[in-house]
Structures are given as structure tokens and as C-alpha cells.
Amino acid sequence: MSLYSQNGYGHMSYGGPSYTQTSGYYQPPAAPAPFYHVDPNTFRRDYASRLAELTINSRPIIQSLSMIAQEYTRFSEIVAQCLEAHIRRVPHWMKLPGLYLLDAISKNVFEPYAREFAPYVIPLFLEAYREVDQNTRSKMEEMLLTWRTGGANGKELFGVVPQVTIERGVWGGDSGQADPTSGFYSGSGQISKSQVLSELEFTLGQKERALQANPYDNVSQNHLNVLQQLRKLVEAGVSQDELRQILNQLRSFSQSTAPPPLAPAPTSTPASTSPSYNGSLYPRPYPPPASYSNQGPPPGFPVPTDRPSYLQQPKTEQVNITSLLPSSQLASSSPSAPVHSAAPISNITNLYNALLKAGVVSASATPTGAGETAKVDESKPEPVDLAKTTSREYRRTILSQKVKLSSAGITKTRPELIHFLYDRLPVQCKQCGIRFADNSVGKKEMQDHLDMHFRQNRKASQNTGRGHSRSWFIGVDDWIHDVSVDVKGKGRTDGHRPLNAKAAAAAMIAKRDAELRALYVVVPPGDEAKPVSCPICKETIKSEFLEDDEDWVWKNATKKDDRIYHATCHAEAVASTNNLLAARLRNELASGSRGGTPEVHSSRSTPPKHGVRSSHSPSPQSKPGGTKRKVENEDASLNAEADGSPPMKKLALES
Amino acid sequence: MENEKKTDSREWELDAETEYRFELDPGTSLAIKLVQGQAEVFGTELAEGKQYLFGSECKASVFTWQGCVLEISHPSTEYVSEETPMATYANLHIAFEQMRVRALNAVHGSPNSDDDSDANAEPPRVLVLGPENSGKTTVCKILTNYAVRAGQDWSPLLVNVDTSEGGWSCPGAISAAPVHSPLPTCSPANPLGSAATSAPTALSSNALLPLVYWYGHTETKRNPLLLDRLIRNLGDNVREKYDADPEGRASGIIVDTPSSFASSSSSSSSSDHRHTLIKSCVDAFGINVILVVGHEKLNVEMQRTYGSRLSVVKIPKSGGVVELDHSYRERVHNYQLRTYMYGQVIEAPPGISSATLGGETMTDLVLSPSSVVIGFDDLTIYRIGEESMAPSSALPIGGTRILSEMQPVLIDPAQSGSGLLNAVLALLAPLNPNDSERYDEEILDLNVTGFLIITSLDIQSRKMTILAPNQGSFAGRTAVVGSFEWQDQ
Ligand SMILES: [Zn+2]
Ligand SMILES: [Zn+2]
């Protein structure tokens, strides 16, 4: 730990002494004082458990994890594995902090970490990118842009191929064929609006920070204005050609104005090319490129040609990025001579002027023409639509898989299919491992699921010492007309996962109970102050003022023979005298018991014969003209609310 | 800080797409904890940091797609294998998902997004065939679990016609249950999750509601006519269920079969009966996919018979499938009956205080059956077919055997040698109350309400003691005895 504390590490510097100009490239500390003796397994467990704490964008946690990685470079492979597993496993809202950590470690301790991460950074980044929300995406795009020059000597942090591939995955472009020689500056291929916009945002961010540092910088102020105009223009919609022009200008502009990487110093100002962590900025951890020149060529940066395994030493290859650039950019992109060149500025101004002349953009900075209607439509979908959309999306993805149902067709390994089982449903119940989608619908389902665990646990603790027993098997009619269908409603995607018939029956009882409780009797004028108690339970019936009707009423009340009863008490009493079953069902469900006489009735191929009105309840009640009817006939007022009649067929099951 | 490890537990680091396999000796148990990464047992994902308990001579494996670290208390036999058929099973799952999606799209009248528009819109109704020890049940379980894990609210219907296994009830039964959540693994007594109890359960897979019919024997050749009839009864009800629920139908059906369906016996009569029974399944459940687990000859045979009208797909068997001998199967039957009555009880290994057992807390699955004394006349007991039957082949063609094989024979408990002591009885659902619908063999078509054991017979006072899973009166009820006995040791 002393390694860091003496540097005032905590705030800014990642580097410590090893980043000084004279020591050149990062070297592992000569003799890191281990704060505990570790073997790989212990380290793995320890690091993984610390990683598990990285659930929010916490600067201290990212710093400390980065520090540990720096100290234990001999376990870099383990760090890489843990970090990959962590980012893959966590739900989408936790991905960004993990990626920030990856970003921080590979920039700070470039060797060996960038090399460790390079093999998996492409799928990791792109998969995360696909899952996260728009806001996180733009943060990831910002980070991705810093990776262009985040590596040694201002090169791509993870190499040209990963950089190009990820950028294409994010912004489109030449589909699929990652051709490292074309680089990401290649003018060929489609340029998407979102790509240009995110690069614009990036450059704007740089400018804004520059302006904050130096509020009287007129040049920066001017650039900012031009860039904002451009953003409006692009948002409104411009042609492919114009997008390409803007992008090219933007890149040269941004490259030339990016300040050189800073030497680590506790007092250094935030560098513009690092993504922000939790609002504040990370320092540029690299020694200025100049320091390399004294040392000869910097260590080679790996350009993985394939996906090397962790153990494989990737092929080392020098790529001179400048040779890939259009000649106009050569002067400004040389890392050893960062100049605030005037050329790009005039370029961008020229472009703007040209567009202005062409009438694409008006002097008032409001885009004209067809662009007006091309507003980006990103209205938030309603949860129901979201559920529909996600399940439609799922169906489309499933149908797009090329799997042939034949002995040969199913033997081809397609490990990405695992996506459907794990990554697509990142929200996992810690109790039982069941997964849910990471959207509002999934969260609702997860909440219901956790509530279920809670109720079950509570029931289990209440039931301790009470004997449980195997239930009698379900009858044919109940089995065929699975009650769970009843509560499920129309769509299968409404997120209601029926637990079992018991839960479904409980839901019906609850509904009926709510209906009873909603009943009220208007208090006769003058009786407001008179306490009335329920003849059955002897408790006072609560009165309440109904705003709408401007009446005092007794809640959960019903009037019988001039006496006021609790609606629930009365219903139960009627049921218990005339039909023991309903009350028993209520009690059974309340206690979670399923005991009783095995009267599961088999009346297969026999249509319902007697009058239970619930359409879902073909009654298997054994005695024709069951007592249920009697209840209804005798008690007209109960009749109305008994419409959601107790699930008689469940009675048979439960009793 | 030197590593402090629990006395008996070990850590295993698994590479991607490998599995840790274990076999337990009688009376031992095992606890597995997922320390890091992702892992699944027969398609059911493990939650990280939870101790999962296994017992009753369980033989299972923990598979990982992307690598994981497990902490394991000592088992009897263990090793890690890199050879697994999981990639194939995953592909199968995707193929079945496509069928489900198309079927659901057809229900909703929405078009399919892919260009394969001529693909039919039937959900997967899969018959899994394979010889003994080929892991048929495991395949069924994995495919079912993957379906419910898709997050699409699928609830595939899992059908067990393997009479030697018994699914959710007792050996000798066939049954079907819709599955809504992953099926846990903890013991061979509950290979497919657990039938509902009065105990609260967290997983709906431990509160399954199967429809059960009673065949009563392990061997399918003992009374193939009866089995054929029961399979068709089950199929009729499945059809009726899905007529009422077209969306539910889209989840499909997975049917586990007895190994005798695959055994190539030289005797032509046994070959006849297995072909008849395979055909009963194909007809009853509208099978459109036959999976043949690791058996080339059977694959060819099925291709020839069914290849023109449904998909016959050969799949590899897992190298982890263990040869199970007869005495092991007997012990498993014993575990199953005990579990049916008393619930799942597994002692945790030393040092493990809290663990989950099949997804539930350890004590949740303990059950108390009830013991009642009833009069001989309270319960009507039948045996299906005559006690000692000559094999069908010994009869002249068109002989009267059919009648006698399906004939309910009344058993008098008072008769010495009734064979009822310790017998497993299937308590049938009540007879149809409508007298006009009565028919001779009605009891063959009645489903099972529960299982009973006659634990003592008092011929003098004409009373018997019955162990029942639950309380209740049996007066006027009917039960059928098969060839299983069980003694509460
Ligand atoms: Zn859960
Ligand atoms: Zn009351």
C-alpha cells in the first residue's frame, strides 16, 4: 500500500514513481510490499469479491481495484478473467462501471493489461453496448473514442483491429469484414448519423472543458459555437457525403486539439481524452510520448489476428497509424508534436460556410429543408409495448438463428447461443438463480418474484413444527382447465408467472375479498356518531367520509334485517352455515394447507352440469344442485358480489 | 493470510464447456456452492453462493458454459469432463424455440420474420427414445429447463411414460405436468421436480400438478395393452387441455420413455409391443420430433418407420451417464416411495449448516403421512388382469386374452395370499356420478388421486392399516394394486 499512499494516489495519480519521465515505460514495482501473502486462488477469490462491490460508478472502488491490478501484475491473467466474467455477468446498469475499470487498468498499467484484455474486448464491449440504455451507450462511445489514442505512443489502446471492429459494431460501416489496413478513417462504407453525432459530442466535450479551464479563450468559444451548429445540422439530417466530410474534419480537428497525454502529477488537470467516472475526470495516466523517444521504440503493441487464448502470446506487430491517415492529417496527428493547428479549425469553419452557402443550413443556425422532419424519434415505450417489443425482438432473433433440426444440423457448436440463456436475461434472483429481462417488465417480474420468496419464507417460518403432507393429485378437469390460464390473462408476456393452482385460487379469493371490502352502507343522517359493531365479530365497524358522494359510510359493510354486518364477516357466516366449503377454502389457503378428504373428482368428458357462473369453473361438484345456489337465492345482496364466485373446482382440489 | 479452508471442501475451477460429475454412495450427501461464474445442473442454473445439497445416491453433473469456480464438500466419486453433448443440446433447444415461436406467431396471426415461411407452425412435441443408461431423462430435463429459462413464459408439458421411473409420483405410474420453472436436481427420487405438497415452496417445480395414471409395473411387456390404453388416455386429456389453451399449446410437449422402447430384443413379440407402444405415444401426443439418444440401430429403425412424416434426430449421449444396475434401481424405487410419503430428507455434510435442497430450504420438504385403520369394505381393491398370465404369444390369434388382460379383478383382503400386505395401491379418482355413463372397464380410465400402502392386515376383525400421504376418508373409493411393494424401514 505504501507505494500509493506516498504519492497522494487517492486523488489523481495512478502512476506513482514508475511513471516518471526517466523511468520511461511502466515497469512493475521492483518489490511490491505484499499486504498479504497470496496464491492465485486466493487472489482470484479476493479480487472477484472486491469486483462484486463495483455495482455503482464509484471512483474509490475503481481506483482501488485498479491499484490492486497494478500491484499484482503477475496475476494479470486472473484480473482479466475476473473482470471479463464480472462485466458479462452483471446486469446492464452495472456494466459501465466495470468497463470504466477495464479502461482505467489498461490505460494505467498498459503492459500487460491491455494485452490481456485485447482478446475479449471486442465481444465484451459490443455485447454490453447492445444491452445498455441510450445514456450509457453515449458514455461508452465517449470511452471508445479515447481508446483510439489511449495506448502506448498515442496508439489504439487495444490495437487497430479491436478498435476498428468495435467502432464498426457501434456505428456501422463496412459490415463484418474487419480490414485492419483500412483503419477506421477509411472513407468507404456507410457512416451513420449516430456515429457522427457521438464524435461531435466527444469533441464538444473537449471544447467545453477547455473553455472551462480558460473562460476567455475566444478561439475555443468560437469552435464551440461552430460545433453546436454542426450538431444541429447533423441531427436534422444531412447526406452521406456531408456526414463523411463532417466526420473527417471532425477527426482531424479533434486529434489536433486533444492535449497531449499528461505526465502523472497530483496536481494535473483532468485530461480531455479520458472518459469521466462519476462526473469527474480521470487523469491521463501515461507519460508523455516524448519520454518514449529516449528509450527507443516502445514495446510493441499486439495486433491480434484472431482471438488468442489467454495463454497465447499474441503476435507483436508494429502498426504505424499515421500511414493510414489521409495526408492532411499527418502534421497534426504526430504524437510527438502536438500542435494546436489552425488548419482543422479553418476546415471546419469552411465546411460550415460551404454548407451555409449551399443553403443546407441557415445563418440563424436552424437547419432548413427536409431535415426538419427528420427528428430523431426516441419516445419512451410504454411497459406493455416494451414487453411486446422485447418478445417480438426475441422471436425475431430466435428465428434468425441458423439451426437445422437434423442429426447433422445440431452438432455444429454455436456457443453464442448461450446468449439466450444468460446474457439476455441479466437480472438474476440471488435466492434461486432464476433470471429476468433487464427492462421495466423484467424488473416488475423480479419484484413479484422476490415478493413470492418473501411470502414463502414467512409462511415457512410460521409453519415450523406443523406437519405438511403430500397433496392429492389433481383431477382431470382441473388439470385440463389449468387455473393458471385464468389468471394469466390474454398475453403470455404480461409477466404474470402463475405459480400453481394454489396461487391462482388464492388470487381469486383475494379478489373476492377486495370486492367485499369495497362494499359500504350509507350511515343514516344523525347516526354518524353512533358506534356500530358487527354482530358477528363484535368489532366496531369503521365509518368514513366519501368525498364524491358527500356521505358518511360504513366501510366493508352490508345491511341485513336492519342490522349492519361486516361484509366479509357476513359472507363468511353465510358461507359457513350454508356452504362450509367456501370458508374452509379460505382457511385452507390462509394456512397454506391442502389437507382434507381426497375428493378429487373425475368427470372427464362430462360437461359442467350445475350452476356456477364463473366461466372458468366447470364445476365438478359432486352433489347436483350444490349448496352454492342456495346461498345465492337466499341472499340477494351477496349475490351481486359473489359474481366472482369462489372457484368451486378448486374447492374440490383443495379440500 | 494463508488459505483457510473448510476441512472437507475443495475448490474446483472449471473451464468453459466442461462439467464436474459426481456419484454418491448410499447414505452420503454432497454440497456444491458456485463461487464464481455461471453453472447449471441439468439445465437449471445455480445461484451464486448458495449451498446445493444432493443425496440418495444422486449421480449428476454441474456444467458450465463460460467457466466457473465450485466449492464442493467431499463426494464419493468425482471428476471433470471436457466431453459433453451440451452444445448439441443447446442447438436442439434453439431449434425447438424456433418451432415454439412459429407456433405462437400462428396463434396470434402474426407473420414470421424469417424467410423460412414454408416451415410449419407446429410446436415441438418430442419423443425421447434411448436404451438403458443413455440419459433420456436428463435430455428431457435439460430441454424443459432451457425452455422455461427463455423468459417467454413457456410452460412445456413434461410427460413421463417411463414406468420404471414414475416421474412425480411412484414407479409404475405414467404422468404429465406443465412445467413453469426450472426443475431442480437433488436426488433420483425426484428426478423431475416434486408434486405439490401442503408446504410452501419457492419453486413451482416443487409444487407440480401432474395428471397421473397407474400402470402398476416396471416392465412394459407385462401388460402392453393396458399401458397403451393409459398412454392414449393421457394423450386425450393433453389434447383437450390444449384445445382450451392454444397459447399454452405453443410451448410443446417432451415425452420421456422407458428404455424397453429402445431395447432390440430378438423375440418378435417384445419387438411388436415396443413398436405398438412407440406408436401409441406418437399418436397420443401428436409427436413431430423423435430424438434417439446414442443408438444408431434404433435411429435407422425410427427413420424407416417415421422419417417420412416427422423429424427423427439422433443425438449423442452424455459420457457422464453411469451404468445403473438392478439393485440401484430397486433402491431408487424405495427412495421414491419414501419421498412421496415423507418428503425429501437429506442430511447435510459436516460443516454445512444451511443449504438449499432442490431449491427449497432443507426442512421445507419434510412431510408427515397419515396412518389410518379402515374396514375391508371401505375400499374396493382391484388388480388389472389375472394374477398369473401366460404370455400373449402363447395364445391363439384372436384369443380371449385381450379381455382378461384388461379385466379388473376384485381382490378380497380377507383371502390369505391376497398379496396386499405392503402393496402399493393407487387410489383412483371417484367414479363418474352419472350412472348412465357407467361402463365395465371404467376404472381403467380413471386417473390417480394418490398412493396408499397397506401396512397391516387384520383378517379376523376385517380391518387394515393404510399409510396415506394425506388425511381423508376412503369410504366408497376404489384402488388398484400393481406389482410394487414398499416397507417403511
Ligand atoms: Zn428466486
Ligand atoms: Zn365483523
Side-chain angles (χ1 to χ4, degrees):
Chain A
M1 292 303 289
S2 58
L3 184 67
Y4 302 102
S5 50
Q6 75 193 33
N7 280 309
Y9 176 89
H11 187 55
M12 282 301 175
S13 159
Y14 272 108
S18 52
Y19 279 128
T20 55
Q21 303 244 358
T22 48
S23 70
Y25 200 71
Y26 169 78
Q27 288 152 3
F35 53 90
Y36 57 81
H37 177 78
V38 279
D39 65 282
N41 280 337
T42 311
F43 180 83
R44 178 187 295 277
R45 200 171 24 206
D46 199 36
Y47 201 75
S49 75
R50 279 165 193 253
L51 253 183
E53 289 165 21
L54 186 56
T55 57
I56 52 156
N57 193 3
S58 154
R59 186 181 167 88
I61 297 177
I62 291 175
Q63 280 178 334
S64 88
L65 284 164
S66 188
M67 272 160 51
I68 296 170
Q70 181 170 8
E71 187 163 355
Y72 292 91
T73 49
R74 62 199 152 106
F75 292 139
S76 62
E77 208 182 306
I78 296 173
V79 169
Q81 287 165 1
C82 291
L83 190 49
E84 184 190 15
H86 171 82
I87 295 173
R88 282 191 195 283
R89 191 177 52 229
V90 296
H92 82 112
W93 67 84
M94 280 163 58
K95 297 220 184 259
L96 190 63
L99 287 164
Y100 276 160
L101 175 62
L102 180 141
D103 174 88
I105 294 177
S106 44
K107 283 175 177 166
N108 295 319
V109 203
F110 176 79
E111 175 62 35
Y113 283 106
R115 175 165 50 80
E116 288 289 359
F117 299 148
Y120 63 66
V121 71
I122 300 172
L124 189 68
F125 188 99
L126 289 178
E127 276 162 30
Y129 186 83
R130 272 198 290 274
E131 282 175 35
V132 299
D133 60 27
Q134 199 50 52
N135 189 29
T136 311
R137 282 189 176 182
S138 55
K139 292 202 170 96
M140 286 178 70
E141 285 162 12
E142 192 187 356
M143 175 164 53
L144 178 59
L145 289 168
T146 71
W147 289 0
R148 284 181 173 175
T149 55
N153 212 5
K155 290 185 177 165
E156 295 82 358
L157 187 57
F158 299 107
V160 173
V161 174
Q163 188 71 32
V164 170
T165 312
I166 296 174
E167 290 195 15
R168 280 187 185 146
V170 168
W171 292 302
D174 296 339
S175 55
Q177 291 140 347
D179 176 8
T181 55
S182 71
F184 46 82
Y185 299 105
S186 135
S188 66
Q190 286 285 325
I191 294 167
S192 71
K193 186 162 97 178
S194 64
Q195 175 179 12
V196 177
L197 276 177
S198 93
E199 297 207 18
L200 255 171
E201 292 294 344
F202 177 64
T203 317
L204 265 167
Q206 285 185 329
K207 280 287 135 201
E208 276 164 3
R209 289 191 283 266
L211 205 58
Q212 268 168 16
N214 186 0
Y216 305 104
D217 181 349
N218 286 334
V219 180
S220 289
Q221 182 62 60
N222 193 26
H223 291 172
L224 203 59
N225 292 340
V226 173
L227 287 166
Q228 280 160 350
Q229 301 275 351
L230 271 175
R231 179 169 60 181
K232 279 185 188 151
L233 182 68
V234 173
E235 272 172 355
V238 294
S239 75
Q240 239 336 276
D241 258 7
E242 284 154 354
L243 277 179
R244 179 166 299 125
Q245 280 187 55
I246 293 170
L247 195 60
N248 286 338
Q249 299 302 333
L250 209 54
R251 279 170 176 168
S252 56
F253 179 67
S254 143
Q255 285 245 328
S256 65
T257 52
L262 298 173
T267 53
S268 67
T269 51
S272 57
T273 52
S274 282
S276 60
Y277 301 92
N278 216 5
S280 65
L281 285 163
Y282 260 69
R284 266 303 282 202
Y286 292 114
S291 69
Y292 292 127
S293 53
N294 304 334
Q295 311 278 323
F301 193 65
V303 179
T305 49
D306 211 323
R307 263 198 73 168
S309 80
Y310 296 131
L311 302 172
Q312 232 173 342
Q313 183 69 29
K315 197 167 64 171
T316 297
E317 194 178 298
Q318 291 284 346
V319 174
N320 185 354
I321 192 73
T322 49
S323 69
L324 302 172
L325 300 181
S327 56
S328 68
Q329 291 167 343
L330 273 177
S332 58
S333 64
S334 164
S336 56
V339 208
H340 291 258
S341 157
I345 300 162
S346 58
N347 279 348
I348 213 138
T349 315
N350 288 346
L351 172 67
Y352 178 66
N353 286 339
L355 293 171
L356 193 67
K357 262 189 209 151
V360 177
V361 44
S362 74
S364 64
T366 308
T368 58
E372 201 69 67
T373 53
K375 276 273 174 236
V376 191
D377 182 30
E378 284 185 299
S379 54
K380 280 249 163 72
E382 291 298 299
V384 182
D385 291 337
L386 180 67
K388 273 191 192 146
T389 314
T390 16
S391 91
R392 207 179 295 133
E393 176 63 32
Y394 175 81
R395 292 177 208 169
R396 200 171 28 241
T397 325
I398 278 288
L399 290 182
S400 72
Q401 302 292 310
K402 300 285 173 237
V403 180
K404 197 172 176 301
L405 186 59
S406 70
S407 306
I410 54 161
T411 47
K412 290 175 193 140
T413 310
R414 295 176 185 82
E416 75 271 16
L417 302 184
I418 302 329
H419 167 72
F420 293 111
L421 296 174
Y422 290 93
D423 308 347
R424 210 181 53 82
L425 302 169
V427 183
Q428 190 180 20
C429 170
K430 282 197 162 68
Q431 309 250 346
C432 68
I434 288 177
R435 290 174 176 270
F436 300 92
D438 184 18
N439 54 37
S440 56
V441 178
K443 275 176 201 137
K444 172 79 173 62
E445 284 181 334
M446 172 75 157
Q447 199 52 55
D448 292 349
H449 177 85
L450 292 177
D451 287 350
M452 180 276 299
H453 274 305
F454 178 76
R455 285 194 306 270
Q456 297 289 16
N457 290 342
R458 197 178 48 188
K459 262 197 235 159
S461 63
Q462 284 167 353
N463 280 328
T464 314
R466 222 193 101 171
H468 288 297
S469 53
R470 181 78 56 194
S471 306
W472 299 107
F473 294 130
I474 191 168
V476 169
D477 283 331
D478 290 327
W479 189 81
I480 289 171
H481 304 279
D482 185 356
V483 252
S484 62
V485 176
D486 297 353
V487 288
K488 201 176 278 177
K490 314 236 169 348
R492 296 190 85 81
T493 50
D494 63 0
H496 197 105
R497 220 173 269 258
L499 277 175
N500 49 40
K502 189 162 67 176
M508 285 181 181
I509 290 292
K511 183 168 166 267
R512 181 168 147 74
D513 204 56
E515 283 165 0
L516 284 172
R517 284 177 195 284
L519 290 178
Y520 61 83
V521 172
V522 177
V523 179
D527 281 4
E528 289 89 349
K530 201 170 89 186
V532 174
S533 60
C534 168
I536 296 169
C537 71
K538 314 292 181 208
E539 279 179 29
T540 307
I541 299 175
K542 293 204 172 70
S543 60
E544 194 174 293
F545 189 72
L546 277 194
E547 301 279 352
D548 289 350
D549 301 347
E550 300 195 347
D551 269 332
W552 278 93
V553 299
W554 286 302
K555 290 302 294 267
N556 178 18
T558 183
K559 193 172 181 180
K560 288 284 146 252
D561 304 330
D562 274 349
R563 298 184 75 174
I564 309 293
Y565 295 81
H566 277 132
T568 44
C569 290
H570 186 258
E572 200 156 332
V574 169
S576 64
T577 46
N578 293 322
N579 184 351
L580 280 162
L581 288 173
R584 233 164 76 198
L585 173 61
R586 188 187 293 274
N587 293 336
E588 290 286 289
L589 284 166
S591 64
S593 159
R594 281 173 157 243
T597 322
E599 280 182 313
V600 179
H601 203 276
S602 171
S603 58
R604 67 185 290 272
S605 77
T606 310
K609 289 194 175 59
H610 16 259
V612 175
R613 274 175 293 161
S614 164
S615 58
H616 290 304
S617 302
S619 170
Q621 201 174 358
S622 44
K623 294 176 209 86
T627 48
K628 173 76 181 91
R629 168 148 298 161
K630 217 164 138 199
V631 178
E632 291 172 356
N633 291 345
E634 179 192 272
D635 194 332
S637 82
L638 262 179
N639 205 355
E641 68 267 12
D643 211 19
S645 55
M648 297 306 283
K649 82 193 178 76
K650 291 325 316 163
L651 288 177
L653 166 70
E654 301 290 335
S655 54
Chain B
M1 179 180 82
E2 289 301 330
N3 269 345
E4 247 190 317
K5 284 189 177 158
K6 281 208 197 81
T7 36
D8 275 336
S9 71
R10 267 185 75 177
E11 215 165 73
W12 288 73
E13 200 179 320
L14 301 191
D15 291 334
E17 297 195 35
T18 63
E19 66 187 22
Y20 167 88
R21 296 175 182 156
F22 63 88
E23 296 164 28
L24 298 182
D25 286 339
T28 66
S29 64
L30 165 71
I32 294 183
K33 184 169 89 175
L34 174 64
V35 175
Q36 193 196 337
Q38 292 161 344
E40 50 186 57
V41 178
F42 298 148
T44 295
E45 189 177 359
L46 301 183
E48 196 178 290
K50 293 262 166 195
Q51 295 280 6
Y52 285 81
L53 218 53
F54 301 83
S56 307
E57 295 182 63
C58 188
K59 302 169 195 309
S61 58
V62 185
F63 175 82
T64 177
W65 283 106
Q66 289 160 329
C68 71
V69 179
L70 302 175
E71 189 182 288
I72 293 168
S73 73
H74 65 138
S76 310
T77 308
E78 60 178 5
Y79 62 102
V80 169
S81 172
E82 293 171 2
E83 301 277 312
T84 82
M86 291 303 286
T88 307
Y89 297 172
N91 287 328
L92 262 183
H93 163 66
I94 298 296
F96 291 157
E97 283 294 276
Q98 294 183 333
M99 295 171 81
R100 291 184 183 106
V101 164
R102 287 202 185 92
L104 195 60
N105 281 347
V107 172
H108 293 161
S110 44
N112 291 314
S113 56
D114 63 336
D115 40 70
D116 200 4
S117 51
D118 57 336
N120 75 34
E122 287 300 309
R125 291 183 297 260
V126 187
L127 187 72
V128 182
L129 297 176
E132 223 163 328
N133 307 319
S134 61
K136 289 182 298 294
T137 306
T138 300
V139 172
C140 294
K141 198 166 174 176
I142 290 169
L143 292 173
T144 304
N145 283 338
Y146 281 180
V148 297
R149 280 171 61 191
Q152 303 301 302
D153 278 356
W154 303 129
S155 46
L157 188 72
L158 189 50
V159 180
N160 172 64
V161 295
D162 183 353
T163 51
S164 71
E165 189 169 69
W168 302 277
S169 47
C170 284
I174 67 168
S175 48
V179 178
H180 303 282
S181 71
L183 303 165
T185 297
C186 63
S187 141
N190 278 332
L192 303 172
S194 170
T197 69
S198 64
T201 59
L203 279 182
S204 69
S205 305
N206 288 320
L208 291 170
L209 301 172
L211 179 64
V212 182
Y213 286 93
W214 177 238
Y215 170 66
H217 318 284
T218 317
E219 306 258 298
T220 56
K221 64 172 181 244
R222 176 133 178 190
N223 196 344
L225 274 179
L226 175 61
L227 188 53
D228 171 81
R229 180 161 176 158
L230 298 177
I231 289 170
R232 288 174 192 277
N233 278 341
L234 201 50
D236 286 348
N237 289 310
V238 170
R239 205 169 305 123
E240 212 177 316
K241 180 184 183 62
Y242 283 151
D243 283 350
D245 182 14
E247 287 193 334
R249 186 177 173 273
S251 294
I253 303 175
I254 294 172
V255 185
D256 193 10
T257 63
S259 52
S260 62
F261 281 20
S263 67
S264 40
S265 159
S266 50
S267 130
S268 68
S269 77
S270 90
S271 177
D272 281 353
H273 97 252
R274 87 188 165 86
H275 277 293
T276 308
L277 290 174
I278 289 173
K279 185 158 188 314
S280 330
C281 289
V282 170
D283 295 346
F285 307 112
I287 295 300
N288 55 5
V289 180
I290 292 180
L291 295 182
V292 181
V293 190
H295 193 301
E296 187 48 39
K297 193 176 162 215
L298 182 66
N299 180 40
V300 171
E301 198 178 65
M302 289 299 115
Q303 290 285 3
R304 205 181 299 135
T305 318
Y306 296 104
S308 61
R309 56 191 181 102
L310 46 82
S311 308
V312 177
V313 181
K314 189 188 155 193
I315 59 172
K317 72 172 195 174
S318 164
V321 176
V322 192
E323 295 288 317
L324 307 172
D325 57 18
H326 181 71
S327 73
Y328 174 79
R329 291 185 191 279
E330 296 255 286
R331 291 199 300 279
V332 168
H333 289 169
N334 180 36
Y335 294 140
Q336 276 182 323
L337 280 158
R338 166 165 291 278
T339 303
Y340 175 76
M341 293 290 179
Y342 292 93
Q344 188 78 69
V345 184
I346 294 175
E347 288 274 313
I352 309 277
S353 54
S354 89
T356 133
L357 186 53
E360 312 293 340
T361 60
M362 278 155 70
T363 50
D364 278 356
L365 299 174
V366 179
L367 305 178
S368 323
S370 67
S371 188
V372 283
V373 179
I374 62 168
F376 281 176
D377 300 326
D378 287 349
L379 192 63
T380 314
I381 302 172
Y382 289 100
R383 187 186 299 280
I384 307 299
E386 281 171 44
E387 173 67 47
S388 52
M389 282 195 303
S392 303
S393 53
L395 273 181
I397 291 165
T400 54
R401 173 49 47 101
I402 287 174
L403 258 184
S404 61
E405 271 182 329
M406 303 292 255
Q407 185 70 52
V409 181
L410 194 64
I411 310 274
D412 180 6
Q415 205 93 65
S416 68
S418 68
L420 284 182
L421 186 61
N422 299 324
V424 176
L425 265 56
L427 180 71
L428 299 182
L431 290 166
N432 195 313
N434 190 337
D435 279 341
S436 66
E437 290 182 20
R438 280 281 153 75
Y439 55 99
D440 280 353
E441 293 169 354
E442 190 179 358
I443 66 163
L444 299 182
D445 300 330
L446 293 175
N447 64 295
V448 177
T449 295
F451 292 97
L452 313 172
I453 316 279
I454 299 181
T455 54
S456 81
L457 279 169
D458 183 348
I459 292 174
Q460 236 128 52
S461 55
R462 293 186 61 79
K463 287 194 182 307
M464 53 187 169
T465 311
I466 282 181
L467 183 70
N470 211 324
Q471 282 157 11
S473 144
F474 306 103
R477 301 290 294 265
T478 304
V480 173
V481 65
S483 54
F484 288 95
E485 286 186 359
W486 185 65
Q487 262 179 297
D488 192 359
Q489 290 121 353

